[in-house]
Amino acid sequence: MRSRIIGSLIVKDNIVVQSFGFKNYLPVGDVKICCENLNNWEVDEIIITSIDRSKYNLGPDLELIDEVSKSGISTPITYAGGIRNLNDAEKVISKGADRVCINNLIMTNISSIKDIALSIGSQSLLASINIIKSNNNFFWFNYINKNLLPIESIPLDLLHYVSEIIITDVNNEGSDDKFDLKVVDITKKIFKKKKVIFFGGISTKKKTSLIKEKIINSSYAIGNFFSHKELANQYFK
Amino acid sequence: MKNKLQFCVRCLYSSEHPLNITFNEKGLCSGCQIHEEKDVLDWSERLEKLKKIISPYKTKKGNYDCIVPITGANDSYYILHLVINVLKLNPLLVHYNSYFNTQLAIKNLTNLRIKFNRDIIIKNVNPIKVKKITKDSLINLRSMYWHVLAGQTVFPVQASIDYKIPLIIWGAHQGIEQVGMFSYTQEVEMTRRYRKNHDLMGCEATDLIKPYQNLKEEDVFEYFYPSFKDLADVGTKGIYLNNYFRWDPKWQHEKMIKLYDYKTSDLNRTFDTYDYNHCYNYMDIHDYIKLCKHGYSKVTDHASREIRFGRISREQGLELVKIYETKKLKFSKLFTQWLGIKDESLNYLFNRFKNPEYWKRTNASSYEQNLLSSKIKISKRKDTTKKKFFFIKTDKINLDSQPKYIIFGKGYEN
């Protein structure tokens, strides 16, 4: 089975940034042009994550989704960031995103997830879970208030309503291929056979192969590395 | 959603930088953060790494190992010095003729060819097409320099495909040096995405062709970027030397003056006499348009760089910016004559380009400046230790003759 390679664009203050461990950011450029480039490379999907929308309760960046979807790219777009309720999720889809990804909502409004799935279809809904390692233990990380929650507190009802889960290795996000394979083990234990997209410090084919040995139907989201080289997607073929 | 204006606590850059910029929790900009790597990285180790990267590209004696794009100024001498004398490569030099050449540009380029004794190919796009593109980009992209930026960044890539020489060696990645877009250790390479986004203001040659517009494919095809298939077939790879050498343009140029007799000159709108003396327009009209659109000009880039190297204080930098950024243009007449437009037309366009954030219109033809430099706050602690700071000037950009564009130039005798 061929693994899907997904381009991940982290958006902060209206621009794509390189993100390092959810703490440090370097500027990359225009969202539309980054999408156009990933589209030309024929990646399998593009995930746009606006990281400052939930933090400031701004709702999803509808203007951005509109602009990207009107730019004529054919690659499916998943949007994450600022989704507070069913209404926000529906607006994201109506503006042209193919799928919606929720993260903060899992912690703040779990009941709305079922409503969203019923409205837009669970095939169009993803959940994002951030995993962080601290004192040799792994936790579910709340990126807004920086709280560490027990892995066991992740609501597993979620699995019924979303089609895929994005698992991010927070410690190694933005690093040069340092994604921790233990995160895959934890994922397998919690989410069993659910389809998973791994993100955070994946920049070689070797790393994706190692993950695939553990979870065969996993996909990979590549962030910073895709802005470092021409045709960087070829490194995963 | 407009972001709140923020200035770096160390240099003179703001959140309005057109290449984009980020700030850490201490208010230090991404450019200053990455600049700190210059004093932390083990550059001899990085050179060894580079030698390993280029090793597969070394060909049998006599063949070209790589392509080196040159302008004659802007680090061209230093890049060649490193490529030939340090990395021991045989480069094919490629040069895009901007048609805005100063006499000094031709002199430096000729001297470079003599001193380094290498083959060069020069791209001369039909000047009629260049004028047509320049008129279009001036009006629609608010840039009189698009053709130069596009030509300089595409011609080396085309040459890589045409001559099947995969390795292109560039000097500094401006996104790194100005705004810290990448860490040096990420060893970022040339990409079409960066070129379109930042070098070409979001507009590739293909984007210039629009229905019912002036430019047709036959006008702009010389600037088309090679296809991904061609790039993949040849294995084209463009690397930047600033990822492997501690890049310091002032130090480098002074070394080149001593070693190769690189010539320098005063420039009207900056204190840096080294970087852009090859072109009548870069530090003149092009720079003024930057001031109109973005509220700051090249002298802020130069001052911020010198502040980061610790050669001047932030206060000194700001003083220099205020001296130079409002200097009147010297060579706009040359441009209007070359392009065949009236001076009034150019002034009209300048006014159209003026961003209301930085220029308040007071009547039909006058504006009150509200430039970014006027919004920078300097600490109340008075700076009493002005650092010694000078740039060497050896010549004038027009040498001893009247200023005029050198369309094709073979050379100048000493």
Side-chain angles (χ1 to χ4, degrees):
Chain A
M1 183 191 289
R2 189 183 77 86
S3 300
R4 285 157 63 233
I5 297 296
I6 297 159
S8 170
L9 300 176
I10 306 293
V11 178
K12 183 176 184 291
D13 295 332
N14 307 321
I15 59 162
V16 175
V17 292
Q18 288 201 83
S19 171
F20 302 89
F22 286 45
K23 279 186 287 200
N24 300 314
Y25 305 97
L26 295 177
V28 170
D30 181 76
V31 184
K32 211 168 84 176
I33 292 174
C34 288
C35 284
E36 179 190 280
N37 186 61
L38 291 170
N39 181 61
N40 291 340
W41 283 1
E42 297 178 345
V43 297
D44 293 299
E45 186 173 354
I46 299 168
I47 300 175
I48 301 172
T49 308
S50 297
I51 58 172
D52 40 12
R53 305 296 294 191
S54 287
K55 192 176 174 183
Y56 301 111
N57 194 27
L58 296 169
D61 191 342
L62 301 174
E63 205 178 310
L64 173 76
I65 303 162
D66 194 40
E67 195 185 353
V68 170
S69 62
K70 281 180 181 162
S71 66
I73 65 167
S74 55
T75 309
I77 299 285
T78 293
Y79 174 83
I83 295 156
R84 299 161 293 193
N85 47 43
L86 170 63
N87 188 30
D88 282 346
E90 285 176 337
K91 279 183 188 163
V92 168
I93 296 291
S94 73
K95 284 289 176 189
D98 298 275
R99 305 208 287 174
V100 172
C101 180
I102 49 167
N103 182 320
N104 189 47
L105 200 66
I106 308 167
M107 294 176 176
T108 58
N109 192 357
I110 183 80
S111 61
S112 65
I113 295 172
K114 185 179 174 185
D115 299 336
I116 296 173
L118 285 171
S119 168
I120 66 171
S122 58
Q123 78 283 358
S124 299
L125 186 60
L126 287 84
S128 167
I129 302 283
N130 305 320
I131 304 288
I132 195 165
K133 190 178 179 183
S134 177
N135 295 325
N136 251 349
N137 289 309
F138 287 91
F139 297 91
W140 181 24
F141 180 62
N142 182 330
Y143 75 96
I144 293 178
N145 59 22
K146 312 288 178 201
N147 279 348
L148 309 186
L149 304 165
I151 291 284
E152 297 72 34
S153 62
I154 299 170
L156 293 180
D157 329 353
L158 192 66
L159 300 178
H160 303 300
Y161 306 120
V162 300
S163 56
E164 273 184 289
I165 301 199
I166 302 173
I167 299 288
T168 302
D169 176 356
V170 175
N171 305 74
N172 295 303
E173 191 232 3
S175 70
D176 181 15
D177 211 36
K178 292 193 178 124
F179 180 88
D180 190 341
L181 291 172
K182 282 184 192 145
V183 171
V184 184
D185 297 331
I186 290 166
T187 303
K188 200 172 176 179
K189 202 171 148 192
I190 309 168
F191 298 115
K192 314 285 187 221
K193 288 183 178 172
K194 194 76 187 170
K195 280 179 78 182
V196 179
I197 299 166
F198 288 105
F199 175 63
I202 299 170
S203 52
T204 62
K205 169 86 179 165
K206 191 180 167 192
K207 182 70 84 179
T208 60
S209 301
L210 289 170
I211 300 173
K212 200 172 179 176
E213 278 175 20
K214 291 172 183 279
I215 299 183
I216 193 150
N217 63 347
S218 50
S219 305
Y220 315 101
I222 316 298
N224 296 357
F225 180 69
F226 270 177
S227 58
H228 296 175
K229 292 174 199 299
E230 192 68 278
L231 293 169
N233 61 325
Q234 300 288 329
Y235 287 71
F236 296 91
K237 286 188 175 164
Chain B
M1 186 180 62
K2 182 131 177 69
N3 300 319
K4 197 180 159 208
L5 180 65
Q6 182 177 0
F7 286 95
C8 177
V9 292
R10 184 179 296 164
C11 74
L12 302 173
Y13 280 150
S14 79
S15 47
E16 298 297 298
H17 198 297
L19 289 180
N20 306 132
I21 202 160
T22 57
F23 295 88
N24 68 11
E25 66 285 355
K26 291 176 185 161
L28 196 65
C29 80
S30 41
C32 286
Q33 290 170 52
I34 295 300
H35 184 92
E36 288 179 355
E37 289 185 2
K38 285 184 195 277
D39 298 324
V40 177
L41 292 174
D42 181 341
W43 291 102
S44 55
E45 195 179 89
R46 297 208 59 69
L47 172 57
E48 291 311 308
K49 193 159 189 205
L50 175 61
K51 284 180 179 171
K52 279 186 191 152
I53 292 168
I54 60 164
S55 151
Y57 297 95
K58 284 197 178 181
T59 56
K60 286 177 190 166
K61 217 166 186 175
N63 293 344
Y64 300 120
D65 301 318
C66 62
I67 283 171
V68 173
I70 54 161
T71 63
N74 304 87
D75 304 318
S76 298
Y77 277 65
Y78 188 61
I79 296 166
L80 274 184
H81 169 71
L82 294 178
V83 166
I84 294 168
N85 299 327
V86 180
L87 301 175
K88 310 289 182 199
L89 294 171
N90 179 25
L92 171 64
L93 315 187
V94 298
H95 173 72
Y96 173 80
N97 185 355
S98 75
Y99 298 126
F100 302 148
N101 305 308
T102 63
Q103 284 87 338
L104 193 60
I106 303 302
K107 183 166 185 159
N108 270 329
L109 196 57
T110 310
N111 181 50
L112 175 143
R113 293 167 67 179
I114 294 166
K115 294 276 164 62
F116 290 99
N117 192 25
R118 300 289 150 158
D119 295 339
I120 185 168
I121 48 174
I122 300 175
K123 178 94 166 183
N124 298 302
V125 177
N126 177 348
I128 295 166
K129 284 185 195 173
V130 172
K131 286 181 191 180
K132 204 171 167 184
I133 292 169
T134 303
K135 269 186 190 164
D136 190 272
S137 70
L138 187 59
I139 293 163
N140 296 319
L141 297 176
R142 301 183 303 161
S143 172
M144 54 81 61
Y145 217 65
W146 185 92
H147 89 85
V148 185
L149 299 168
Q152 283 174 351
T153 51
V154 82
F155 179 41
V157 188
Q158 293 167 342
S160 166
I161 304 298
D162 294 345
Y163 291 83
K164 304 219 169 1
I165 305 169
L167 183 65
I168 304 172
I169 301 187
W170 302 88
H173 186 292
Q174 281 311 307
I176 300 178
E177 293 300 311
Q178 288 192 32
V179 298
M181 212 170 265
F182 305 96
S183 160
Y184 295 109
T185 59
Q186 292 182 314
E187 294 167 10
V188 67
E189 295 174 8
M190 166 195 84
T191 65
R192 181 178 186 165
R193 199 271 313 161
Y194 178 90
R195 174 180 180 265
K196 175 171 181 173
N197 198 160
H198 301 296
D199 292 333
L200 304 185
M201 298 146 278
C203 186
E204 281 198 274
T206 42
D207 303 322
L208 291 174
I209 311 163
K210 287 181 183 142
Y212 314 111
Q213 296 268 326
N214 214 10
L215 293 175
K216 305 278 180 285
E217 184 172 336
E218 60 263 31
D219 298 316
V220 297
F221 77 91
E222 304 271 12
Y223 300 88
F224 284 179
Y225 205 80
S227 69
F228 285 133
K229 185 183 180 306
D230 284 344
L231 294 173
D233 287 350
V234 173
T236 300
K237 176 188 181 82
I239 61 169
Y240 294 92
L241 291 176
N242 67 328
N243 287 323
Y244 307 96
F245 294 91
R246 186 182 184 277
W247 210 257
D248 178 350
K250 183 173 188 292
W251 177 84
Q252 290 161 195
H253 277 116
E254 283 162 10
K255 190 169 175 175
M256 295 303 99
I257 292 167
K258 276 185 198 156
L259 284 178
Y260 302 107
D261 198 23
Y262 175 66
K263 299 293 185 192
T264 67
S265 72
D266 267 342
L267 289 164
N268 189 33
R269 293 175 49 81
T270 183
F271 56 86
D272 184 326
T273 58
Y274 304 156
D275 259 354
Y276 298 102
N277 54 46
H278 63 300
C279 179
Y280 278 112
N281 292 326
Y282 191 92
M283 282 309 307
D284 206 64
I285 301 178
H286 177 62
D287 192 52
Y288 184 67
I289 291 175
K290 176 172 172 162
L291 187 78
C292 293
K293 293 192 293 189
H294 301 296
Y296 79 102
S297 65
K298 194 72 196 172
V299 68
T300 299
D301 296 329
H302 285 148
S304 292
R305 183 192 69 201
E306 295 306 306
I307 292 166
R308 289 173 182 168
F309 277 107
R311 289 191 280 260
I312 55 172
S313 65
R314 193 164 183 261
E315 291 78 358
Q316 269 177 286
L318 185 58
E319 270 177 37
L320 286 164
V321 167
K322 288 183 174 173
I323 291 168
Y324 285 100
E325 69 181 357
T326 51
K327 290 248 181 175
K328 285 195 173 144
L329 300 183
K330 274 175 96 171
F331 303 116
S332 58
K333 193 92 188 158
L334 286 180
F335 179 69
T336 52
Q337 281 171 354
W338 175 81
L339 197 59
I341 60 170
K342 289 180 182 169
D343 295 347
E344 296 77 20
S345 304
L346 187 62
N347 283 328
Y348 166 78
L349 288 170
F350 286 155
N351 288 338
R352 222 184 75 184
F353 299 159
K354 283 176 179 159
N355 184 336
E357 293 272 336
Y358 315 117
W359 303 85
K360 191 181 164 193
R361 194 170 188 164
T362 50
N363 63 43
S365 59
S366 59
Y367 289 80
E368 196 177 284
Q369 293 170 7
N370 187 24
L371 302 173
L372 282 166
S373 59
S374 68
K375 301 173 189 184
I376 298 175
K377 291 194 176 77
I378 290 291
S379 63
K380 284 179 186 165
R381 188 169 53 84
K382 195 168 167 62
D383 178 40
T384 51
T385 53
K386 275 200 175 174
K387 295 173 184 175
K388 277 188 185 173
F389 173 73
F390 63 91
F391 279 73
I392 300 162
K393 185 192 87 170
T394 66
D395 287 83
K396 290 194 290 184
I397 58 172
N398 52 315
L399 297 175
D400 293 323
S401 58
Q402 286 299 309
K404 67 170 185 185
Y405 293 172
I406 307 297
I407 306 297
F408 299 101
K410 287 182 180 172
Y412 276 87
E413 287 182 15
N414 284 320

